[in-house]
Amino acid sequence: MADKKREQLIVSRSYKKSNELINAMGKGTALSQKLFAIGMQNITVDNTNNVVATIYGSELRKMFKSTSGSLYEHIEALCDRQVKGQTIFDWNLLMKDKENGKIEAHQVVTDASFKDGTLTLRYNNSLTDKIVNLQKNYTVLSLADTLSLKSVYSLRLYEMLKSAYDYKKYLTKEPGEQAFEYNLTELKLELGIITSGGVKEIKNELEKELPDYDKIEALADKNDLNKYKEYKIFNRNVLSKAKDELNKKTSLEVDYEPIKCGRKTAGIRFFVNQKESAVPKEKMPVINKDEILDELMDLLHDDFKFKEIREIAEAAEYDLEKVRNAYNYMLTYDKTIDVPIAFIKECIKNEYYANKAKPMYPKKNTFNSFEQNQDNFEELEKLLLDN
């Protein structure tokens, strides 16, 4: 049980990610994205201005809750340029340069090695200012949420929707459900389902201020760069599965609907909300009655017997502050007090010291409104003690 709690503490961290990286077009594996998130916990910048992330194998096992050697095999394969298929070096992004409006391609990881149980990742120095020292235009993401997601599409949607939700919440200052719309082709580009594939016409269209997404999709179809051409397949294999995974495993509540243009699906409207985190119930402090009675003995022993001090403590529910306030009030009371034990208990009960009730002023050297004499004293004392 203790080990599980400690594992939870390890992943219960957050990391910053630039919104430019989050919303960039391109593709990469889910493992690449997760390693980026883990690596952000321990990064340096080398003398060539490359961000270098160092991750120890023991930490990887804890993060991925792995006890088999297969995790290391996956990591080694991911770092091997000779392995066919997607490696960490295949994580590429298309980003629009704000100054010249040109689309630039970036290989995210330029060097990777896994030696002696330590994974070292070196990131493209053109992305350094988008990885470290982020002061604005970033999103805080949950490491636990990121590591919980299996599908790369779920992971990408988590980042995109969390970024959009936090930004809109910041602008509107209103919590609760928010809606976001994406052109269908634009969404596929950001998820890496449609890629430019080095096609100049696609790149030229993306550089425009208002790209013609219908043209981009047609070009992608023509060059076999659109993985899910039909909406029903895209919906079944990507959106529906991602929605279920996000709702089950992350802090987001997600729903969506198609935006129709005639019979064609032109876009997707997402509805996003932040799940209410369970507020832990405040634990009542453990009261050590003996210690409190010792303190009250020091405070009250000149005026009360031990039995009376215990009564006072019980009347105050062993709240030292209440007893101190009531006792100080009694000491400064400018009328004669004939039954101190009754007075201080009434003071605690009604909080006379806080001016929340009128104090009982004696008349003719009495404690309350009727005359004090030997005949009625016992009746008065009984009345006060019963209260």
Side-chain angles (χ1 to χ4, degrees):
M1 182 64 71
D3 288 343
K4 287 185 177 180
K5 287 183 178 179
R6 288 176 178 177
E7 286 176 4
Q8 187 61 36
L9 286 174
I10 292 172
V11 300
S12 295
R13 289 179 281 182
S14 59
Y15 62 101
K16 294 179 181 179
K17 192 167 185 179
S18 163
N19 291 334
E20 287 185 77
L21 292 182
I22 289 174
N23 296 307
M25 296 169 285
K27 64 176 183 177
T29 65
L31 187 53
S32 298
Q33 303 282 345
K34 292 179 181 182
L35 291 175
F36 177 90
I38 297 171
M40 290 304 99
Q41 311 298 320
N42 185 19
I43 58 175
T44 58
V45 179
D46 66 13
N47 56 10
T48 59
N49 200 40
N50 293 86
V51 174
V52 179
T54 303
I55 311 171
Y56 301 110
S58 57
E59 291 298 299
L60 285 172
R61 286 197 179 280
K62 291 177 182 177
M63 295 289 186
F64 290 106
K65 300 178 182 178
S66 172
T67 57
S68 68
S70 61
L71 174 64
Y72 286 176
E73 292 177 10
H74 287 307
I75 299 297
E76 287 178 346
L78 197 70
C79 298
D80 189 350
R81 294 180 187 270
Q82 305 300 318
V83 174
K84 292 182 180 181
Q86 287 188 319
T87 69
I88 200 166
F89 304 108
D90 296 311
W91 183 10
N92 294 292
L93 297 177
L94 287 177
M95 305 176 68
K96 182 175 286 189
D97 187 289
K98 292 181 178 179
E99 293 183 2
N100 57 34
K102 297 294 183 181
I103 290 291
E104 296 179 349
H106 299 274
Q107 181 184 11
V108 180
V109 177
T110 57
D111 188 38
S113 64
F114 187 60
K115 296 178 180 178
D116 300 323
T118 300
L119 174 64
T120 304
L121 302 173
R122 181 171 284 102
Y123 292 95
N124 194 325
N125 59 15
S126 65
L127 302 176
T128 297
D129 63 340
K130 299 173 179 60
I131 298 176
V132 296
N133 300 323
L134 301 177
Q135 302 298 322
K136 59 181 181 178
N137 196 27
Y138 64 84
T139 299
V140 177
L141 300 165
S142 163
L143 182 60
D145 283 358
T146 296
L147 295 179
S148 72
L149 299 171
K150 292 184 178 180
S151 165
V152 66
Y153 303 129
S154 299
L155 207 156
R156 289 289 295 121
L157 272 175
Y158 164 69
E159 293 183 340
M160 291 162 57
L161 296 177
K162 180 72 163 57
S163 174
Y165 181 86
D166 287 354
Y167 182 65
K168 194 165 185 179
K169 183 179 175 182
Y170 169 77
L171 290 179
T172 63
K173 310 298 182 186
E174 294 180 3
E177 190 174 66
Q178 306 282 1
F180 309 99
E181 296 181 0
Y182 289 85
N183 175 280
L184 187 60
T185 303
E186 176 191 17
L187 180 60
K188 287 182 177 181
L189 282 162
E190 291 201 29
L191 293 176
I193 291 170
I194 291 179
T195 62
S196 68
V199 177
K200 187 175 180 180
E201 292 90 336
I202 294 178
K203 181 174 176 290
N204 290 342
E205 196 62 40
L206 287 171
E207 288 178 344
K208 295 179 180 178
E209 186 175 351
L210 296 173
D212 184 337
Y213 287 113
D214 289 338
K215 182 178 180 180
I216 291 173
E217 185 163 18
L219 288 166
D221 290 344
K222 179 182 177 181
N223 291 276
D224 199 24
L225 299 171
N226 187 357
K227 188 174 181 180
Y228 298 112
K229 296 181 181 181
E230 296 184 39
Y231 172 74
K232 65 178 182 180
I233 299 176
F234 172 65
N235 180 45
R236 182 185 65 210
N237 291 356
V238 178
L239 295 180
S240 180
K241 290 182 178 180
K243 169 192 166 183
D244 291 343
E245 196 172 15
L246 291 174
N247 288 335
K248 182 179 180 181
K249 298 179 179 179
T250 75
S251 59
L252 298 181
E253 289 180 347
V254 178
D255 200 0
Y256 67 92
E257 64 183 18
I259 301 173
K260 293 286 189 177
C261 180
R263 298 179 63 182
K264 180 183 177 182
T265 298
I268 302 295
R269 182 179 293 112
F270 289 99
F271 301 94
V272 184
N273 202 354
Q274 188 84 28
K275 292 177 185 173
E276 292 185 9
S277 56
V279 179
K281 293 183 179 179
E282 185 176 349
K283 294 183 178 179
M284 295 297 293
V286 178
I287 298 174
N288 189 322
K289 294 183 178 181
D290 291 335
E291 288 184 3
I292 292 173
L293 285 173
D294 287 342
E295 290 195 42
L296 291 180
M297 278 293 292
D298 292 338
L299 177 68
L300 305 175
H301 74 278
D302 289 339
D303 298 290
F304 298 96
K305 297 177 181 179
F306 180 74
K307 180 181 177 181
E308 293 174 322
I309 292 173
R310 187 184 293 277
E311 285 185 44
I312 293 168
E314 290 176 353
E317 297 179 333
Y318 289 84
D319 187 324
L320 276 172
E321 194 64 24
K322 285 185 178 180
V323 177
R324 290 194 185 101
N325 290 336
Y327 184 58
N328 290 332
Y329 181 82
M330 188 186 81
L331 293 178
T332 59
Y333 194 63
D334 59 357
K335 304 293 182 180
T336 302
I337 300 173
D338 293 295
V339 191
I341 178 66
F343 182 91
I344 197 169
K345 286 170 68 177
E346 282 292 309
C347 188
I348 290 169
K349 178 181 177 181
N350 296 300
E351 298 185 5
Y352 293 144
Y353 50 82
N355 296 319
K356 292 185 177 181
K358 294 181 179 180
M360 296 175 288
Y361 291 100
K363 294 182 180 179
K364 297 181 181 179
N365 199 31
T366 62
F367 185 71
N368 65 5
S369 59
F370 54 86
E371 290 187 352
Q372 172 72 26
N373 56 49
Q374 190 64 35
D375 293 334
N376 63 22
F377 178 79
E378 292 182 1
E379 181 182 353
L380 168 62
E381 185 175 37
K382 183 176 184 303
L383 173 65
L384 291 171
L385 290 177
D386 287 343
N387 288 333

